[in-house]
């Protein structure tokens, strides 16, 4: 089932409010599989983004993970610093990546495998065994959710082997990772809430009234599974040039199409550009992202069934490890897939 959640649209670089409304696609995973698969494919084609309900990840597993993360971020800076610097894994603050991107946040970035979590847990908790157990439980839940979604996508694309995408993530050598972002509270100067709410869509209109928590970008992996608390700030960029605020929902998950999935579908799906903007709130925003990625030596190439629909190959086949190297060499907002376009296209 897809339910519209009306949200005002504002075009990038234009302060004039539009009258159109955007409905965040909401997929009920308890629906008949044929219905859910069709709706997921449509959401991936239209937006590269959707929300899932009845996802099967227990609330207590989510709550325990949030408590562990909140406990870490509540510690003194000197104590948190012992878990960093992020290179790329560990604790980081302000700096995003290695090429000069910055944001108003602090974060944890971890490899999503049990061995690495066990080795790093002592840097993040006074009770390492509990931290690794809680994190592994959470990652098991969102990994299964990712695989379920990918199998529904394959079914919706009429691919006979419905594990063609999910097996890239279920592979024990997958390169998935887990990130928790913590954005401090932001109170606008003079606490002018009305003015802030009218202008936070366009960062250039009044920089003093907003802050960039995490700059615009796409995710390089296959899928991203995001869960946040009840503080807003996430915005997605639509194909027709609108930045759209996404209402937070701490009980459900949001799903993003990544660059690798765009390549795996030969451009039928488009990775969604998104950002986090700090807006007026006395409460901090915390979001948890599972980035579902294949093994480093896995080839990213659209299956024949996709290429039968879109005859020309937009991207040449590439290994995930090679793509990852390009990602690390570029700025956050850069378009990485351009480096792998098939130049034989007219």
């Amino acid at each position: 089932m897809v339910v519209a959640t009306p949200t005002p649209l504002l075009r990038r670089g234009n302060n004039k409010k539009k009258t159109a409304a955007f409905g965040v696609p909401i997929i009920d995973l308890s629906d008949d599989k044929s219905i859910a698969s069709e709706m997921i494919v449509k959401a991936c084609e239209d937006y590269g983004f959707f929300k899932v309900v009845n996802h099967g990840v227990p609330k207590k597993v989510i709550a325990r993970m949030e408590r562990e993360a909140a406990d870490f971020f509540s510690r003194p800076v000197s104590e948190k610093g012992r878990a960093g610097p992020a290179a790329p894994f560990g604790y980081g603050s302000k700096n995003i990546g290695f090429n000069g991107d910055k944001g108003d946040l602090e974060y944890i970035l971890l490899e999503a495998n049990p061995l690495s979590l066990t080795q790093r847990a002592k840097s993040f908790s006074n009770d390492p065994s509990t931290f690794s157990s809680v994190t592994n439980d959470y990652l098991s839940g969102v990994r299964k959710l990712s695989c379920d979604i990918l199998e529904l996508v394959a079914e919706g694309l009429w691919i006979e082997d419905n594990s063609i995408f999910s097996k890239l993530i279920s592979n024990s050598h997958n390169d998935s990772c887990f990130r928790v972002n913590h954005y401090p509270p932001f109170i606008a100067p003079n606490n002018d809430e009305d003015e802030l709410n009218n202008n936070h869509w366009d960062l250039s209109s009044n920089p003093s009234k907003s802050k960039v928590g995490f700059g615009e970008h796409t995710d390089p992996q296959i899928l991203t599974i995001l869960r946040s608390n009840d503080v807003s700030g996430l915005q997605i960029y639509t194909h027709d040039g609108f930045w759209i605020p996404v209402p937070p929902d701490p009980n459900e998950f949001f799903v993003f199409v990544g660059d690798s999935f765009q390549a795996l579908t030969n451009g039928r799906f488009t990775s969604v550009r998104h950002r986090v903007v700090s807006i007026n709130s006395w409460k901090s925003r915390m979001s948890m992202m599972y980035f579902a990625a294949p093994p480093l030596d896995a080839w990213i190439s659209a299956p024949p069934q996709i290429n039968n629909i879109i005859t020309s190959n937009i991207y040449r086949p590439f290994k995930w490890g090679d793509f990852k190297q390009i990602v690390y060499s570029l700025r956050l907002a850069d378009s990485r897939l351009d480096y792998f376009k098939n130049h034989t296209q007219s």
Side-chain angles (χ1 to χ4, degrees):
M1 177 174 65
V2 175
V3 180
T5 305
T7 303
L9 299 180
L10 286 104
R11 190 175 295 279
R12 188 178 189 177
N14 185 348
N15 291 330
K16 186 177 179 182
K17 188 174 288 188
K18 303 295 180 181
T19 58
F22 165 74
V24 175
I26 303 177
I27 313 298
D28 188 339
L29 294 182
S30 68
D31 275 345
D32 181 89
K33 286 179 68 175
S34 63
I35 296 173
S37 62
E38 180 182 343
M39 294 298 99
I40 289 174
V41 168
K42 180 170 174 53
C44 289
E45 290 175 336
D46 292 348
Y47 302 106
F49 174 80
F50 55 94
K51 179 164 74 174
V52 291
V53 300
N54 292 315
H55 45 70
V57 183
K59 288 184 178 180
K60 64 180 181 181
V61 169
I62 299 171
R64 290 176 68 201
M65 187 68 251
E66 184 176 46
R67 283 195 298 270
E68 287 291 326
D71 175 71
F72 174 80
F73 288 122
S74 69
R75 296 179 182 183
V77 173
S78 58
E79 189 174 340
K80 289 183 288 191
R82 291 199 288 269
F89 301 106
Y91 168 76
S93 178
K94 306 294 184 183
N95 294 314
I96 302 172
F98 307 107
N99 301 302
D101 291 296
K102 295 183 180 297
D104 189 30
L105 83 163
E106 57 181 342
Y107 62 90
I108 295 168
L109 183 60
L110 298 168
E111 293 173 285
N113 68 72
L115 177 59
S116 177
L117 286 172
T118 299
Q119 293 171 340
R120 288 185 174 272
K122 61 180 178 294
S123 300
F124 293 96
S125 174
N126 294 326
D127 185 354
S129 62
T130 296
F131 180 86
S132 59
S133 174
V134 167
T135 306
N136 275 316
D137 285 348
Y138 182 81
L139 291 176
S140 294
V142 291
R143 184 183 301 112
K144 182 182 183 303
L145 174 59
S146 299
C147 290
D148 290 346
I149 291 170
L150 291 171
E151 289 175 6
L152 286 169
V153 167
E155 182 176 324
L157 293 174
W158 297 93
I159 297 174
E160 186 174 346
D161 178 8
N162 70 357
S163 69
I164 192 166
F165 301 128
S166 65
K167 62 188 177 185
L168 294 170
I169 308 306
S170 60
N171 187 303
S172 61
H173 298 291
N174 74 80
D175 191 46
S176 302
C177 59
F178 178 53
R179 184 181 184 112
V180 186
N181 288 341
H182 180 249
Y183 303 89
F186 175 68
I187 307 302
N190 303 319
N191 199 27
D192 189 346
E193 241 178 283
D194 290 336
E195 183 179 352
L196 178 65
N197 288 337
N198 287 332
N199 288 283
H200 74 263
W201 318 97
D202 180 16
L203 299 182
S204 63
S205 63
N206 195 339
S208 68
K209 297 295 186 180
S210 58
K211 280 187 178 181
V212 176
F214 206 110
E216 63 176 273
H217 65 287
T218 58
D219 294 333
Q221 294 85 1
I222 295 175
L223 283 184
T224 300
I225 307 292
L226 176 144
R227 185 267 175 195
S228 77
N229 62 2
D230 58 357
V231 177
S232 59
L234 174 64
Q235 298 180 356
I236 66 167
Y237 191 59
T238 63
H239 303 322
D240 51 356
F242 290 98
W243 278 112
I244 301 171
V246 178
D249 187 342
N251 297 312
E252 312 298 351
F253 288 100
F254 292 96
V255 182
F256 300 76
V257 169
D259 295 338
S260 294
F261 212 11
Q262 178 171 327
L264 282 167
T265 58
N266 201 27
R268 181 167 176 177
F269 299 168
T270 305
S271 56
V272 61
R273 190 164 287 270
H274 53 286
R275 67 185 183 185
V276 173
V277 178
S278 298
I279 59 176
N280 220 20
S281 175
W282 291 100
K283 186 178 177 182
S284 60
R285 172 181 167 85
M286 189 166 71
S287 56
M288 306 187 294
M289 287 74 60
Y290 171 70
F291 299 103
L296 289 171
D297 61 356
W299 284 95
I300 304 297
S301 179
Q305 295 92 330
I306 297 291
N307 289 335
N308 285 340
I309 299 170
I310 306 171
T311 54
S312 58
N313 295 318
I314 299 174
Y315 307 103
R316 67 180 188 273
F318 56 85
K319 288 185 178 180
W320 162 246
D322 295 334
F323 185 58
K324 187 176 178 181
Q325 285 187 333
I326 291 290
V327 170
Y328 282 149
S329 71
L330 299 174
R331 297 292 299 269
L332 193 61
D334 290 339
S335 298
R336 306 99 169 198
L337 278 176
D338 289 348
Y339 288 79
F340 295 90
K341 280 190 173 178
N342 191 336
H343 297 299
T344 61
Q345 279 198 298
S346 56

